Amino acid sequence: MWRECILEAKKAQGLSPKAMSERTKGHLPERTIIRILNGDTENPRIDTIIELGESVGLSPKELFADTNAIVNNN
């Protein structure tokens, strides 16, 4: 699932939520990232998930590889 992919990449790179926020140029606040990764935000927007994934170097295709989701990355 996408959350586990992000958490794994975050851990492998030794990134904090603050560093991830900085990589989004502050678009995703640290607290929002924490809530999403902890599962406190049940249904984050798809564009938020994609931006969060990109902050750890994951493409949309990598994030959703194990799902039936259709991602149009135009």
Side-chain angles (χ1 to χ4, degrees):
M1 194 165 142
W2 61 265
R3 186 175 283 114
E4 287 78 17
C5 291
I6 293 171
L7 286 169
E8 185 176 310
K10 174 187 172 293
K11 183 178 179 180
Q13 296 174 45
L15 294 173
S16 67
K18 181 178 180 181
M20 292 170 71
S21 177
E22 291 169 357
R23 288 183 173 196
T24 70
K25 297 180 178 33
H27 184 254
L28 294 179
E30 179 180 0
R31 187 69 195 133
T32 298
I33 292 170
I34 291 168
R35 285 184 185 132
I36 291 171
L37 295 181
N38 285 342
D40 298 334
T41 303
E42 290 184 26
N43 295 307
R45 293 183 354 207
I46 191 78
D47 59 322
T48 301
I49 295 169
I50 290 170
E51 188 169 10
L52 194 55
E54 288 173 344
S55 77
V56 294
L58 297 172
S59 71
K61 189 174 185 176
E62 292 169 308
L63 285 173
F64 302 107
D66 64 346
T67 67
N68 292 325
I70 298 172
V71 178
N72 186 355
N73 196 21
N74 292 331

